[in-house]
Amino acid sequence: MVADMSYSTVSNVIDTWEEIRRTENYEEVVGTALFLKFFNLEPEAKIIFGFKDNNDLEDLAKSRRFIKHAKYFIQMIDKALGMLGPDIELLTEILLELGQKHVSYGVRPEFFPSMGRALIHAVQSILGDSRFTPDVKDSWVEVYGALSYDMIRAQKL
Ligand code: HEM
């Protein structure tokens, strides 16, 4: 749950996120790396985004809908990071609602771990190994785990 995250976990993620934001065109850079990896892991999920299963991944990356979700996703992480702390209860409510919307989009709970792996891959590829230390990695894994935990449990409410 988002309410359980420690201060050092959150600050590790916020600090490295700030660094990524300084990359030119960061939303698209992160988003493209994220989704190329995600569809590699979960080719079946392409259908949810309105793509045929045999579409070439490079074409997918140029698709407007693909980029749109990548931006939604990054904006949600941004928003969530900004709400940790005093707004934590409101953030939990937003995530529960977002989780329920995802059911109506056809998103199955088992897609969430792959999205997490893709996110870690994207962040690592931008930060580089010297900055993406094991400690930083653990923090990202924990923050993604907490966000997706609230979204997934909403799917079962
Ligand atoms: C922690 C994980 C995730 C976050 C934070 C997230 C965030 C978001 C946000 C903020 C939106 C726009 C919401 C709105 O309609 O108001 C959205 C839409 C959507 N998300 Fe996610 N998402 C996550 C995981 C996933 C996964 C795992 C999938 C697919 C396998 C997915 C597929 C979609 C789809 C299909 C839409 C509708 C947008 C469209 O059709 O273009 N999301 N997501």
Side-chain angles (χ1 to χ4, degrees), residues 105-120:
Y105 300 145
V107 178
R108 303 203 298 258
E110 62 266 30
F111 290 146
F112 280 85
S114 297
M115 189 66 96
R117 281 175 64 194
L119 175 68
I120 299 297

Side-chain angles (χ1 to χ4, degrees), residues 46-148:
K46 284 182 205 162
I47 289 181
I48 300 175
F49 289 91
F51 303 122
K52 293 208 181 72
D53 199 34
N54 56 1
N55 281 17
D56 188 78
L57 273 179
E58 295 303 321
D59 289 341
L60 285 181
K62 289 181 211 126
S63 136
R64 284 177 57 200
R65 201 160 165 211
F66 175 99
I67 300 288
K68 198 173 91 186
H69 186 269
K71 283 190 176 171
Y72 278 152
F73 184 88
I74 302 301
Q75 280 160 6
M76 186 61 215
I77 291 182
D78 240 0
K79 185 168 165 179
L81 293 179
M83 290 178 76
L84 294 172
D87 293 329
I88 198 78
E89 278 177 22
L90 182 58
L91 173 60
T92 304
E93 266 173 46
I94 291 174
L95 289 171
L96 291 177
E97 201 178 305
L98 190 59
Q100 276 160 354
K101 273 193 190 169
H102 278 68
V103 179
S104 63
Y105 300 145
V107 178
R108 303 203 298 258
E110 62 266 30
F111 290 146
F112 280 85
S114 297
M115 189 66 96
R117 281 175 64 194
L119 175 68
I120 299 297
H121 162 83
V123 171
Q124 182 165 21
S125 69
I126 291 165
L127 286 178
D129 287 344
S130 62
R131 198 60 194 90
F132 196 71
T133 60
D135 193 36
V136 168
K137 181 177 178 177
D138 288 349
S139 300
W140 275 92
V141 168
E142 193 181 332
V143 168
Y144 178 82
L147 292 180
S148 54

Side-chain angles (χ1 to χ4, degrees), residues 22-35:
R22 289 194 289 270
T23 309
E24 206 184 331
N25 224 353
Y26 79 96
E27 284 181 338
E28 288 193 24
V29 174
V30 181
T32 305
L34 172 85
F35 275 78

